[in-house]
Amino acid sequence: MKVRSQQIRRRNTMLRELSELLVDSLKRHGIADEKAINEAEELAFQLHRRWAGITFVFPVKDDLARKRLELHIMEEYDGSNADILVRKYGVTEDWIYSVFRQHQRRRIDKNQIGMDFGDGQ
């Protein structure tokens, strides 16, 4: 099986991209720029040392990833920015609306007050 040059470039930049994502996350949590860069590069290096030669496959239909994506959608959706979220996360508007409706139903179900009529039900 022949590996295309695009796949090679992507594979070779994976740890750099991971390091950049870590830097952004650390900076959002108040870590100073230089320390965030050093920590991210060290973590990427440690991952390389530990898992060099191992092939990772991230499943497309992963429950944890889907729930995390739903969380991001609910945090960012303001009722008028579905088109922006479609481009940002690569999902459909229908999916965003269904996540929103599902979240509303869960909130309503959680807030329902049971009525006791004394009939044992």
Side-chain angles (χ1 to χ4, degrees):
M1 178 182 212
K2 199 170 191 177
V3 178
R4 296 183 311 189
S5 61
Q6 180 182 2
Q7 290 173 316
I8 292 169
R9 275 194 311 274
R10 192 167 188 200
R11 182 186 63 211
N12 289 341
T13 61
M14 221 168 49
L15 285 175
R16 184 174 347 110
E17 290 175 10
L18 173 64
S19 181
E20 291 167 1
L21 290 170
L22 289 167
V23 168
D24 290 343
S25 181
L26 291 169
K27 286 166 51 173
R28 278 194 312 273
H29 287 86
I31 306 296
D33 288 0
E34 189 173 325
K35 184 171 182 175
I37 291 168
N38 290 338
E39 289 297 318
E41 287 177 354
E42 180 61 25
L43 180 57
F45 174 70
Q46 293 298 328
L47 291 172
H48 180 268
R49 285 190 57 218
R50 177 171 285 184
W51 294 329
I54 296 175
T55 301
F56 287 96
V57 176
F58 293 97
V60 174
K61 296 190 180 210
D62 179 71
D63 285 339
L64 180 61
R66 182 184 50 76
K67 287 178 182 178
R68 187 69 180 189
L69 179 57
E70 288 177 5
L71 177 66
H72 283 286
I73 295 294
M74 290 310 304
E75 287 175 349
E76 296 176 36
Y77 182 62
D78 66 8
S80 65
N81 63 341
D83 56 330
I84 295 168
L85 298 175
V86 163
R87 287 189 301 276
K88 182 175 181 178
Y89 292 111
V91 296
T92 65
E93 276 192 52
D94 285 342
W95 187 80
I96 291 172
Y97 299 141
S98 72
V99 167
F100 185 71
R101 284 190 303 271
Q102 188 178 47
H103 179 76
Q104 283 182 316
R105 279 194 299 272
R106 276 193 224 127
R107 191 177 329 147
I108 289 169
D109 290 346
K110 191 166 77 171
N111 291 333
Q112 291 292 323
I113 298 173
M115 298 194 68
D116 184 7
F117 293 110
D119 59 0
Q121 294 185 9

